[in-house]
């Protein structure tokens, strides 16, 4: 049985601007119904990769196939209407209202304007629909940008830092919208610097550093491949802290016993046996907290500041 359709298929893509190798041999797939986060330091090549997918810049080398077509061919014009794109900098004509703006983009995509009201509902901008865009806040412009990207129920959503400028409630709404589109088979590729919020929201994370893909996998798989350890924080009274430091000397650094909190470290697969050891030690403690490695740690250990920016 064949798997889900590969909507984005990038093989060894290179894009150089003179001496700058913005994208240096990247291979990346995104299937229908998948949500992949593209992360990387400033200048790592994320926006350039989006431009390659859209056919806005031509690859120096490599093969890019989007919905079965090559973006650098004239025939790709017909494919573009199936791609929703939210650029990093959303620039709208301030003198137009939000509704006029969406009408403009709807016509540009050759779509019917029947869904404009529902798009305003989706991005929670109904009350501002008939106000001039010049009166919108940054977050409101960002939400209008998202509505623009959603016109025509695209097969691919390319979102360049979509949550920048959004307040926490709007961020939650944003990920609900993405989830609904993903469930209908849209392939979503989004770039973000907000690593914490990606953890529970994306299927895979692709990490770019200096134009190269240094990781591509589920967050869980990345964490275990890097052997990033877990930490267990134990809160205890001073006398018990001494007992803990003696009993678990191999699990901690003395400087990790501070202010009544001991931080014990272990490989992820030894976490349960360490917990069991703590319970069976008979040392009375006041509280326990397990801290798993974060996406920030994965990112830091893989990129090491690798941007061209
Ligand atoms: P950020 O997180 O800051 O948005 P990014 O990962 O999106 O960064 P890109 O905008 O793709 O990074 O830039 C990658 C590199 O390519 C940078 O060094 C940038 O200066 C360079 N670059 C991008 N576009 C051009 C261009 N048109 N001409 C010359 N250099 C460019």
């Amino acid at each position: 049985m064949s798997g889900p359709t590969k909507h984005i298929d990038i093989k060894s893509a290179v894009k150089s601007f003179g001496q700058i190798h913005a994208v240096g041999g990247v291979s990346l797939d995104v299937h229908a119904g998948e949500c992949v986060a593209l992360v990387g330091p400033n200048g790592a090549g994320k926006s350039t990769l989006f431009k390659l997918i859209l056919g806005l810049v031509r690859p120096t080398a490599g093969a890019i196939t989007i919905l079965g077509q090559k973006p650098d061919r004239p025939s790709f014009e017909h494919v573009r209407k199936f791609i929703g794109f939210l650029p990093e900098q959303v620039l709208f004509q301030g003198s137009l209202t939000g509704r006029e703006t969406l009408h403009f983009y709807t016509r540009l995509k050759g779509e019917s304007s029947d869904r404009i009201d529902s798009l305003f509902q989706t991005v929670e901008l109904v009350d501002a629909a008939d106000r001039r865009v010049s009166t919108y806040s940054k977050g409101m412009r960002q939400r209008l940008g998202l509505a623009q990207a959603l016109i025509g129920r695209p097969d691919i959503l390319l979102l360049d830092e979509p949550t920048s400028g959004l307040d926490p409630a709007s961020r939650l709404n944003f990920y609900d919208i993405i989830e609904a589109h993903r469930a209908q088979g849209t392939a979503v590729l989004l770039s973000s610097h907000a690593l914490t919020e990606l953890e529970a929201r994306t299927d895979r994370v692709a990490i770019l550093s200096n134009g190269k893909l240094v990781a591509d996998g589920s967050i869980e798989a990345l964490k275990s491949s890097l052997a990033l350890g877990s930490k267990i924080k134990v809160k205890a009274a001073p006398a018990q802290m001494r007992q803990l430091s003696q009993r678990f000397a191999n699990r901690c650094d003395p400087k990790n016993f501070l202010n009544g909190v001991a931080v014990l470290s272990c490989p992820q697969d030894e976490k349960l046996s360490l917990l069991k050891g703590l319970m069976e030690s008979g040392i009375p403690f006041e509280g326990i907290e397990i801290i798993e490695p974060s996406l920030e740690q994965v990112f830091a250990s893989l990129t090491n500041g690798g941007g061209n920016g």
Side-chain angles (χ1 to χ4, degrees):
M1 210 176 83
S2 64
T5 323
K6 215 185 263 185
H7 278 356
I8 297 178
D9 182 359
I10 302 173
K11 288 194 170 61
S12 310
V14 175
K15 179 65 193 175
S16 305
F17 298 103
Q19 297 299 306
I20 298 174
H21 303 302
V23 172
V26 167
S27 297
L28 180 70
D29 298 334
V30 186
H31 292 86
E34 230 188 341
C35 178
V36 176
L38 187 62
V39 302
N42 291 135
K46 304 177 296 293
S47 299
T48 306
L49 199 61
F50 281 133
K51 287 180 192 159
L52 286 168
I53 294 171
L54 287 160
L56 300 177
V57 294
R58 289 174 74 92
T60 310
I64 301 177
T65 312
I66 306 301
L67 296 170
Q69 303 282 331
K70 308 276 178 228
D72 55 350
R73 304 269 167 82
S75 57
F76 196 71
E77 270 310 306
H78 305 289
V79 177
R80 249 191 222 120
K81 69 177 274 184
F82 300 107
I83 304 176
F85 175 49
L86 175 67
E88 189 179 356
Q89 308 273 356
V90 202
L91 293 175
F92 291 121
Q93 183 68 255
S95 58
L96 297 182
T97 66
R99 188 181 302 283
E100 286 164 347
T101 305
L102 285 198
H103 268 288
F104 171 77
Y105 283 100
T106 304
R107 274 201 304 277
L108 206 64
K109 276 201 159 179
E111 290 290 333
S112 133
S113 51
D114 295 354
R115 281 187 64 238
I116 286 184
D117 280 330
S118 104
L119 282 172
F120 278 116
Q121 274 162 15
T122 303
V123 300
E124 299 181 332
L125 219 48
V126 173
D127 293 343
D130 295 303
R131 271 170 47 189
R132 283 171 193 250
V133 175
S134 58
T135 69
Y136 280 21
S137 69
K138 182 167 188 270
M140 289 163 82
R141 280 199 301 277
Q142 190 75 352
R143 281 185 274 152
L144 183 64
L146 179 62
Q148 168 277 127
L150 298 176
I151 290 171
R153 293 199 178 86
D155 291 323
I156 294 178
L157 273 173
L158 296 178
L159 309 170
D160 203 350
E161 298 187 32
T163 57
S164 89
L166 294 187
D167 62 33
S170 304
R171 279 170 189 239
L172 287 179
N173 184 48
F174 165 79
Y175 282 109
D176 286 346
I177 296 169
I178 294 310
E179 180 54 35
H181 280 74
R182 209 183 60 80
Q184 288 173 9
T186 303
V188 184
L189 182 64
L190 64 90
S191 79
S192 181
H193 291 294
L195 302 183
T196 313
E197 69 186 33
L198 297 175
E199 296 230 36
R201 302 295 196 152
T202 51
D203 299 308
R204 261 162 58 211
V205 179
I207 302 183
L208 268 184
S209 178
N210 276 324
K212 302 239 190 282
L213 204 61
V214 292
D216 177 11
S218 73
I219 294 174
E220 279 319 307
L222 293 180
K223 283 176 185 171
S224 50
S225 72
L226 288 170
L228 292 171
S230 301
K231 291 191 189 314
I232 299 179
K233 272 189 180 179
V234 188
K235 197 166 181 323
Q240 280 70 49
M241 291 293 270
R242 269 192 300 281
Q243 285 179 282
L244 278 168
S245 67
Q246 283 159 8
R247 171 74 177 75
F248 297 98
N250 61 333
R251 293 295 190 192
C252 59
D253 189 318
K255 72 177 183 305
N256 286 337
F257 281 75
L258 275 177
N259 303 326
V261 178
V263 182
L264 309 182
S265 310
C266 67
Q268 280 195 73
D269 56 358
E270 290 176 27
K271 183 176 56 193
L272 289 179
S273 66
L274 178 56
L275 273 174
K276 194 160 169 274
L278 269 168
M279 299 301 178
E280 290 173 356
S281 68
I283 304 170
F285 46 81
E286 294 162 15
I288 228 172
E289 187 188 347
I290 299 171
I291 302 169
E292 297 293 2
S294 65
L295 185 53
E296 269 91 351
Q297 281 171 275
V298 173
F299 183 79
S301 65
L302 284 168
T303 58
N304 199 20
N308 281 315

